[in-house]
Amino acid sequence: MKKALITGITGQDGTYLANLLLEKNYEVFGGMRRNSQDELHRLRVLKIHEKVTFINLDICDQFQVFEAIRNHQFDEIYNLAAQSFVGSSWDLSIPTTNVNSIGVLYLLESIKRFSPHTKFYQASTSEMFGKILEPIQNETTPFYPRSPYGVSKLYSHWMTINYRESFGLRACSGILFNHESPLRGPEFVTKKITTQLCEIKFGSREKLILGNLNAKRDWGYAKEYVKAMWLMLQQDHLEDYVIATGKTTSVKEFISFCCAELEIDLAWEGEGEFEKGFDQKTNKLIIEVSKDYYRPAEVDILIGSPKKAKKQLGWEAKTDVKSLASIMVSFDRERLS
Ligand code: G4F
C-alpha cells in the first residue's frame, strides 16, 4: 500500500485527489492546520472523511514539516496547501508568500534531508503567465505574474525545478489552469455565479454583484485535473506539465450558460462597470458590476495548451465549460431548493 500525503486536503482539489488515491488503494494522509471550524465538509460530500488519516501540519511551521516527512517516509506528497484566492493576495501578500513560497521550501528541504525517495507534486498555476507573453500558454511560455499570489507561486515553481535539477529530487509542478466543480469555494467567480443565480431563481436573493465580466479563463473540471496530478508522479522522469482545456470563455459567457440552465431569460445593457443584467421575464435587475471586485492588476485572458499532457500522460479534459456550468448549477440547485 502506497502512502501519500496531501497538504491542503480540505480544499476542492485535495478532496477530489484524496478520493482518487483511496480508489487506487493508497493510504491517504491529510495535512491540516488546527482550526475550530468544520473543515471536513467537502470530504463529507464524497463520504471519505473517515477514510483519511489526518495529521497536524501547517506547512509554515518548519519543525512540523521536518517531523512529518522524517517520521512518515511518504511515497508521494501532493502540495495543495496555499492561500489560493488571487483577489485577497494584495491585502494578504505576506501570509500568501509565507505559505505559497516559504512553506514549499520547507517541504522540499525536508524531502531532500530526510526522505529523498519521496515523490513531490507542486501545485503551480496559470496565474504565473499573468499578462500573457504568448497567445496560447505552454510549458515554455515565459511568465509575467500580475498578483502577489502569482509571484509567490512562481517562486515555488522554480524552487521545485531547482531542487529537481540540483539535488535530483523526484519533484514536479503541474501548471493547472482554472478548474472548478461543485466543491469550489464560494469566493471564486464560477461558484459565486452558480450559487447566487440559484438563490435569485428561488427568491432568496435579489442581485449578483460581480467585478470584471470580460475576464477570460480556460475553465476545466477539477475532478479530472487531479488525475493529471497523479499521472505526473507515475512517470519515470518527472517533468512539469500544463493542464488545461485549450479553450477560453469570459465570465459573461459563463453567466449565460448558467442562466440557460436555470431558464433565466437574461438581457444585458450598458458596458464595463455600467453593464447590467435583467431578467426579461420579471423585468428585474439581477446582475450588476461593482468596482469593489476589480483587481489592482487583472489577468485578462488565459488559454493553455494541453498538448504535452496529452502526448506524454495520455491526459485530456473531457468536460467542456458548458457542461461544467451545468454540473455546478445542478448541484447548487439541489442544495438550495
Ligand atoms: O474565480 P477567480 O477568483 O479565479 P482566478 O483569479 O483566475 O484564480 C483561480 O485560478 C487560478 C488558476 O489560473 C488559481 F491559481 C487560483 O488559485 C484560483 O483557483 O477569478 C476569475 C476571474 C478574474 O479575472 C476576476 O477578476 O473572474 C473575475 N471576476 C469578476 N468578478 C471575479 C468576480 N472573480 C471573483 N472571485 N469574484 C467576482 O465577483
Side-chain angles (χ1 to χ4, degrees):
M1 210 182 200
K2 279 192 189 169
K3 275 166 77 168
L5 170 68
I6 304 175
T7 69
I9 193 163
T10 56
Q12 166 189 266
D13 293 3
T15 301
Y16 283 121
L17 180 63
N19 196 44
L20 178 83
L21 297 184
L22 287 165
E23 281 170 7
K24 294 191 180 297
N25 211 26
Y26 278 63
E27 187 178 5
V28 176
F29 290 76
M32 264 178 68
R33 273 179 304 170
R34 197 175 282 285
N35 195 320
S36 55
Q37 285 169 345
D38 175 21
E39 293 270 10
L40 300 186
H41 58 99
R42 292 188 178 87
L43 294 149
R44 280 202 188 92
V45 173
L46 300 193
K47 300 187 174 62
I48 55 170
H49 53 291
E50 287 172 351
K51 297 184 179 162
V52 169
T53 306
F54 294 101
I55 58 173
N56 262 328
L57 183 64
D58 177 347
I59 65 164
C60 293
D61 180 334
Q62 70 181 93
F63 296 108
Q64 266 187 5
V65 174
F66 283 10
E67 259 181 40
I69 288 178
R70 190 181 53 198
N71 295 345
H72 289 282
Q73 297 290 309
F74 300 108
D75 295 291
E76 296 172 7
I77 296 178
Y78 297 85
N79 180 38
L80 311 184
Q83 191 302 92
S84 63
F85 185 44
V86 176
S88 294
S89 72
W90 282 271
D91 288 335
L92 301 174
S93 58
I94 292 172
T96 298
T97 305
N98 281 338
V99 63
N100 294 2
S101 308
I102 306 304
V104 183
L105 184 55
Y106 293 154
L107 287 163
L108 290 165
E109 188 59 27
S110 305
I111 293 171
K112 182 190 113 194
R113 285 170 189 240
F114 305 123
S115 190
H117 75 282
T118 301
K119 295 190 206 171
F120 179 73
Y121 171 87
Q122 168 59 16
S124 285
T125 160
S126 53
E127 279 295 300
M128 300 186 307
F129 296 120
K131 191 171 178 181
I132 52 167
L133 296 172
E134 287 175 359
I136 297 178
Q137 301 87 56
N138 63 29
E139 292 78 5
T140 60
T141 300
F143 299 114
Y144 190 151
R146 290 278 274 172
S147 61
Y149 169 83
V151 174
S152 69
K153 282 283 187 176
L154 193 52
Y155 172 88
S156 40
H157 180 72
W158 280 116
M159 272 311 210
T160 302
I161 294 171
N162 187 262
Y163 269 61
R164 181 173 71 217
E165 293 179 352
S166 307
F167 306 115
L169 246 64
R170 298 158 86 197
C172 68
S173 284
I175 307 174
L176 269 56
F177 282 59
N178 296 52
H179 46 288
E180 319 293 310
S181 76
L183 303 185
R184 192 56 147 148
E187 65 277 34
F188 297 96
V189 77
T190 56
K191 185 68 173 174
K192 182 172 169 183
I193 292 167
T194 59
T195 304
Q196 297 195 14
L197 282 179
C198 286
E199 290 169 351
I200 290 170
K201 181 78 184 176
F202 295 133
S204 60
R205 171 180 294 276
E206 285 198 352
K207 270 189 255 172
L208 163 62
I209 304 177
L210 292 162
N212 178 10
L213 300 179
N214 299 314
K216 289 183 149 189
R217 291 290 184 276
D218 181 331
W219 274 302
Y221 188 15
K223 193 177 169 185
E224 294 169 5
Y225 282 41
V226 300
K227 175 99 187 275
M229 299 178 186
W230 175 76
L231 283 168
M232 283 181 220
L233 290 197
Q234 311 315 308
Q235 306 307 301
D236 291 338
H237 299 287
L238 298 201
E239 292 178 29
D240 311 313
Y241 295 86
V242 159
I243 301 298
T245 68
K247 304 225 164 61
T248 197
T249 305
S250 69
V251 171
K252 202 169 155 183
E253 286 168 303
F254 188 84
I255 294 171
S256 67
F257 298 146
C258 297
C259 283
E261 278 295 315
L262 287 164
E263 292 169 348
I264 296 174
D265 199 356
L266 188 68
W268 292 102
E269 276 179 21
E271 266 185 33
E273 66 181 286
F274 304 107
E275 192 148 17
K276 294 183 194 314
F278 292 88
D279 181 338
Q280 298 202 89
K281 280 186 209 139
T282 60
N283 263 333
K284 279 190 183 157
L285 169 65
I286 57 166
I287 301 175
E288 260 184 336
V289 172
S290 164
K291 275 182 133 175
D292 290 347
Y293 293 104
Y294 282 15
R295 293 176 179 178
E298 177 64 288
V299 171
D300 297 321
I301 180 167
L302 292 170
I303 317 175
S305 166
K307 277 189 193 151
K308 180 180 173 187
K310 186 169 183 195
K311 189 163 175 239
Q312 290 183 208
L313 304 176
W315 181 93
E316 67 183 322
K318 296 199 170 63
T319 305
D320 67 14
V321 64
K322 215 168 174 181
S323 312
L324 178 63
S326 167
I327 292 168
M328 293 177 71
V329 166
S330 301
F331 181 87
D332 285 334
R333 181 160 37 195
E334 175 106 337
R335 183 173 67 89
L336 297 165
S337 63

